Amino acid sequence: MKLKLAIQKSGRLHDDSMRLLKECGIDVSNGVNKLKADASNFPLEVYFLRDDDIPQYVEDAVADIGFVGENVVYEKAKKVAVAHELGFGKCRLSIAVHRNEDYPGAQYLAGKKIATSYPVIVSRFLKEKGIEAEVHEISGSVEIAPGIGLADAICDLVSSGSTLFMNGLKEVETILQSQAVLIKNQDLAAEKQQLLDRLLFRIQAVKKAKNNKYVLLNAPNEKLKEIISLLPGMKSPTVLPLAEEGWSSVHSVLNENQFWDIIEQLKAAGAQGILVVPIEKMVV
């Protein structure tokens, strides 16, 4: 028995999805224009599909699970379950208007034409705000719609905002924060769920490793208590005596978000010879 995974066949999420599988120790060779591939060292079969089609394939149990953007999950509104946030492919679905327009708030959109590839999400947003506007669905090149008189505003995915800027637009309203997620069929068989649990175990180990650094440092024993208090570690820091009397080696793990602040505090507390090592996998 194999777990069937659907991922984007090309585009912004494909490379990150394949990289994640590799980091999980799963070897998949998709070749050129190949739509299906088997992993050589894990019970996994990978389908390469259009991202818009992935929720439907998972709902219909053609695929058991899929890696896809949250924006697609909410737009397609299929009967699937979000099993895990993958942490890559982060972007936002935002409304943008002409750069010179005065935008006092969402009520600006009342009676306006909004061009988007996400009519379901935009219509839901307008309904929640009590705004009546015309949603014009287009499949691509959304940014040019205001410039050619097709719409007064657009709603599209934004990463850096450079595309909006180049088309004379400004971002005024974010209606969805999105990232890649792992979705699954709601009626996944118990045997398939066990395989999914094995895959999730690997994914979580990889994600934890990326968010943490392994730190080794030398500490004078008289400062040891203060230095240890700064290091949370997974349980508690490891302390080993050095050959030089009066000194200890301290090993710990730091979260990326706290890293520089704690390193500065360690240095100020008397830590020396601080080494920082990336973690490949982290199982807790």
Side-chain angles (χ1 to χ4, degrees):
M1 179 178 291
K2 292 187 176 183
L3 191 65
K4 296 177 290 185
L5 164 66
I7 70 171
Q8 194 175 35
K9 66 179 179 181
S10 61
R12 64 189 184 91
L13 295 186
H14 172 83
D15 292 343
D16 286 336
S17 297
M18 295 299 290
R19 187 178 300 112
L20 176 60
L21 291 177
K22 184 176 181 181
E23 289 170 343
C24 288
I26 299 173
D27 185 20
V28 179
S29 178
N30 62 315
V32 180
N33 298 323
K34 199 173 180 181
L35 298 180
K36 188 178 79 167
D38 291 320
S40 62
N41 56 354
F42 190 86
L44 185 73
E45 191 173 66
V46 182
Y47 300 156
F48 301 97
L49 307 172
R50 288 179 64 251
D51 59 341
D52 288 351
D53 295 335
I54 290 175
Q56 183 69 65
Y57 274 79
V58 173
E59 180 186 70
D60 293 342
V62 175
D64 301 309
I65 61 174
F67 293 172
V68 68
E70 281 181 287
N71 53 296
V72 176
V73 177
Y74 296 135
E75 179 63 28
K76 297 304 177 182
K78 301 300 179 183
K79 294 178 180 178
V80 298
V82 175
H84 193 68
E85 295 179 343
L86 297 173
F88 59 81
K90 291 184 178 180
C91 58
R92 57 195 181 273
L93 187 63
S94 294
I95 291 171
V97 299
H98 193 275
R99 191 182 303 153
N100 297 327
E101 283 289 319
D102 180 31
Y103 184 83
Q107 288 301 321
Y108 166 90
L109 301 169
K112 300 289 198 299
K113 291 182 180 180
I114 307 171
T116 185
S117 301
Y118 299 92
V120 172
I121 297 175
V122 173
S123 296
R124 187 183 303 130
F125 168 78
L126 294 172
K127 184 178 180 180
E128 289 172 355
K129 294 289 186 180
I131 297 169
E132 290 189 10
E134 181 181 340
V135 179
H136 190 82
E137 182 179 3
I138 55 178
S139 58
S141 301
V142 176
E143 296 86 358
I144 68 169
I148 61 176
L150 183 63
D152 304 296
I154 69 162
C155 186
D156 202 15
L157 289 179
V158 179
S159 293
S160 66
S162 59
T163 303
L164 294 179
F165 181 80
M166 288 187 295
N167 285 276
L169 302 174
K170 63 180 179 182
E171 187 178 359
V172 294
E173 197 91 38
T174 297
I175 66 175
L176 176 69
Q177 294 286 350
S178 180
Q179 65 174 297
V181 293
L182 188 158
I183 59 173
K184 70 171 187 174
N185 180 273
Q186 290 186 339
D187 300 314
L188 200 62
E191 296 87 350
K192 294 288 185 76
Q193 182 62 52
Q194 289 177 358
L195 293 177
L196 175 55
D197 289 342
R198 289 175 58 192
L199 177 60
L200 284 172
F201 177 78
R202 297 191 185 196
I203 290 173
Q204 289 163 356
V206 169
K207 283 180 62 181
K208 285 190 177 85
K210 286 183 177 179
N211 292 332
N212 291 276
K213 302 291 185 186
Y214 191 70
V215 178
L216 304 88
L217 58 88
N218 297 329
N221 288 344
E222 66 269 17
K223 296 283 188 176
L224 201 52
K225 188 173 182 179
E226 180 184 354
I227 287 172
I228 288 174
S229 71
L230 298 171
L231 292 166
M234 288 187 288
K235 286 191 179 294
S236 65
T238 300
V239 180
L240 301 170
L242 289 180
E244 184 176 344
E245 190 174 344
W247 285 80
S248 295
S249 175
V250 182
H251 300 211
S252 189
V253 173
L254 290 181
N255 186 276
E256 186 74 42
N257 296 329
Q258 306 170 298
F259 177 77
W260 285 112
D261 287 339
I262 293 179
I263 289 293
E264 289 169 2
Q265 293 176 55
L266 290 170
K267 188 72 176 173
Q272 297 182 11
I274 302 173
L275 300 179
V276 181
V277 183
I279 303 172
E280 185 176 320
K281 306 288 187 296
M282 188 169 168
V283 180
V284 295

